């Protein structure tokens, strides 16, 4: 059996999770803790990928990141980086569709923390960055962790948008979900079964493990 | 001539306008009033956690807030006002130990970066923890200590930075009667020993009598 799609899927989901984590925290902080204009519009744009069909997302990403797209052309000319039909494209697709999950979890965690702790840190002379590092972020930990796990799981399962922007090039952009789809189409049931089994067991273990850990870990009590 | 601690806070609230002016040089100013009289808002305005519509706040002779029609505006951020604040719920950081809580404010001091001066700061913190009898709790998290202990940790954390003004928001209200009696005694000693200009707010007449060097009664945002 070819393990390349599994390795590539883990790599893409891993990198996408790192970016989603950074962006999710950044946006959740700016949108919910700062008085920025057009808050609702920004939030809606951020959550849209969760509601839009993956094919729509894939098509939009193609327009933006294609060779003649505004960002795609810039990346190609400036840095020689091609997004379409590369694993970078798959990372972008996975990141965009999983970001809403990260954002929502971090946002809920930020908003459920009593602001009095941040106020106490202010009266003790802390600036914004120290307050975030020592108070806001650590107190949001349970929400952030579940956000990371769900984001990784979502990125791992990403299919539609990935297929449109990265295609299905074995060994290069073929992830587990696309490999399953094309195995079924080509009648290679054994390969499809094996991959489905691996994905199901992995996802089950991930969510089960997370829930058990979150219940067991008594946060700050 | 302005007093060392001097303020005039005007802020429009939902039901009334808070309008309080007071000044004192040393000791404890007790602000007494029923719940909803505007006491906590007054403290928050002085601390900079919320903005008055008009008025001024001066701490240790330095103006940290000023807003009126004529003069230039001053609005120092909370972190630069040099005050200590003991919140009603204590607001001890649950993710840190007692020691980390107490030392938290010291790390923001410029002196903390200098090795020799840092030693002095840490020694002072040791002295404070010793004085308040919380040395044995250093490695414990706030979630596992008693109400009275939490109050002492919060007070230590607020004064270890040597603030120019200490703000106490109903510091005894969360304690049971038995603990209260002990803490009252401790607070009297604290007041004598540290002599930090303090504003204490309470709805309890006995506390007002016991601790107030200056007293003020506010009702619906105004001094009565």
């Amino acid at each position: 059996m070819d393990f390349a799609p599994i390795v590539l899927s883990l790599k893409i989901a891993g990198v996408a999770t790192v970016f989603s984590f950074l962006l999710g925290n950044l946006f959740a902080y700016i949108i919910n803790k700062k008085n920025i204009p057009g808050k609702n519009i920004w939030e809606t744009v951020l959550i849209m990928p969760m509601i839009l069909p993956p094919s729509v997302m894939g098509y939009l990403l193609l327009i933006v990141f294609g060779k003649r797209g505004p960002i795609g052309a810039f990346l190609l000319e400036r840095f020689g980086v091609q997004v379409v039909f590369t694993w970078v494209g798959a990372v972008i697709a996975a990141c965009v569709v999983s970001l809403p999950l990260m954002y929502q979890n971090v946002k809920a965690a930020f908003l459920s923390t009593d602001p009095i702790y941040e106020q106490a840190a202010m009266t003790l002379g802390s600036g914004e960055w120290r307050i975030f590092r020592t108070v806001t972020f650590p107190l949001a930990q349970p929400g952030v962790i579940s956000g990371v796990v769900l984001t990784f799981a979502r990125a791992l399962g990403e299919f539609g948008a990935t297929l449109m922007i990265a295609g299905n090039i074995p060994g290069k952009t073929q992830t587990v979900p696309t490999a399953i789809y094309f195995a079924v189409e080509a009648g290679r049931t054994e390969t499809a079964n094996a991959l489905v089994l691996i994905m199901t067991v992995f996802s089950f273990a991930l969510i089960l493990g997370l829930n058990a850990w979150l219940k067991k870990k008594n946060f700050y009590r | 001539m302005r007093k060392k601690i001097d303020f005039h806070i005007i802020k429009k609230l939902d039901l009334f306008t808070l309008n309080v002016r007071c000044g004192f040089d040393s000791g404890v100013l007790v602000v007494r009033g029923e719940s909803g009289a505007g006491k906590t808002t007054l403290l928050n305005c002085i601390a900079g956690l919320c903005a008055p519509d008009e008025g001024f706040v001066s701490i240790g002779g330095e103006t940290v807030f000023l807003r009126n029609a004529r003069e230039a505006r001053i609005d120092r951020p909370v972190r630069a006002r040099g005050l200590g604040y003991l919140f009603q719920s204590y607001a001890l950081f649950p993710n840190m130990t007692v020691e980390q809580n107490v030392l938290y404010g010291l790390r923001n001091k410029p002196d903390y970066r200098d090795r020799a001066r840092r030693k002095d700061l840490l020694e002072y913190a040791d002295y404070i923890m010793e004085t308040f009898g919380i040395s044995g709790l250093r490695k414990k998290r706030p979630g596992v200590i008693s109400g009275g202990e939490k109050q002492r940790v919060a007070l230590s954390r607020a004064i270890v930075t040597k603030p120019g003004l200490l703000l106490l928001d109903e510091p005894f209200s969360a304690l049971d009667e038995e603990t209260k009696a002990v803490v009252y005694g401790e607070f009297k000693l604290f007041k004598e020993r540290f002599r930090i200009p303090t504003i204490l707010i309470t709805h309890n007449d006995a506390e007002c009598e016991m601790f107030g060097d200056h007293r003020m009664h506010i009702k619906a945002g105004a001094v009565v």
Side-chain angles (χ1 to χ4, degrees), chain A residues 116-117 119-128 130-131 134-135 138-139 220-221, chain B residues 49 78-79 83 85 87 89 91-96 104-105 107-108 141 144 157:
Chain A
I116 201 157
Y117 297 115
Q119 293 178 346
M122 276 183 222
T123 65
L124 291 164
S126 284
E128 214 173 342
R130 182 161 190 240
I131 295 175
T134 55
V135 179
L139 292 182
Y220 313 132
R221 261 165 217 109
Chain B
L49 292 171
V78 185
R79 65 168 191 274
L83 45 84
Y85 197 136
F87 292 84
S89 62
L92 294 173
F93 305 125
N95 54 323
M96 298 178 203
Y104 188 87
R107 290 176 204 272
N108 293 321
R141 287 264 169 94
V144 298
R157 182 178 72 172

Side-chain angles (χ1 to χ4, degrees), chain A residues 175-189:
Chain A
T175 60
V176 175
T178 48
I180 292 171
Y181 180 81
F182 286 100
V184 173
E185 216 182 28
R188 287 184 281 113
T189 326

Side-chain angles (χ1 to χ4, degrees), chain B residues 59-72:
Chain B
I59 298 174
E62 249 184 281
T63 304
V64 296
F65 178 85
L66 175 69
R67 181 178 292 168
N68 60 30
R70 286 167 288 114
E71 293 175 271

Side-chain angles (χ1 to χ4, degrees), chain B residues 2 6 14 16-17 29 54-55 62 66 75 87 100 111 117 120-122 124 128 134 156 178 180 192 198-199:
Chain B
R2 277 193 185 165
D6 210 347
D14 285 344
F16 52 80
T17 297
L29 163 69
E54 226 179 283
E62 249 184 281
L66 175 69
D75 190 3
F87 292 84
Q100 287 167 333
D111 281 358
R117 289 193 194 140
D120 293 341
L121 290 177
L122 293 175
Y124 184 67
I128 296 280
I134 53 166
S156 305
E178 214 174 303
K180 231 181 230 183
E192 290 308 312
T198 300
I199 301 174

Side-chain angles (χ1 to χ4, degrees), chain B residues 154-203:
Chain B
L155 192 56
S156 305
R157 182 178 72 172
I159 65 163
V160 78
T161 53
K162 298 185 181 167
L165 171 66
L166 184 61
L167 304 173
L168 308 176
D169 186 1
E170 307 247 12
F172 311 111
S173 66
L175 304 172
D176 58 65
E177 289 306 316
E178 214 174 303
T179 316
K180 231 181 230 183
V182 180
V183 172
Y184 280 162
E186 286 170 358
F187 189 73
K188 272 186 197 152
L189 289 175
F190 156 78
K191 202 185 130 185
E192 290 308 312
R193 188 181 287 195
F194 291 94
R195 296 184 175 279
I196 302 169
T198 300
I199 301 174
L200 185 156
I201 63 175
T202 181
H203 59 266

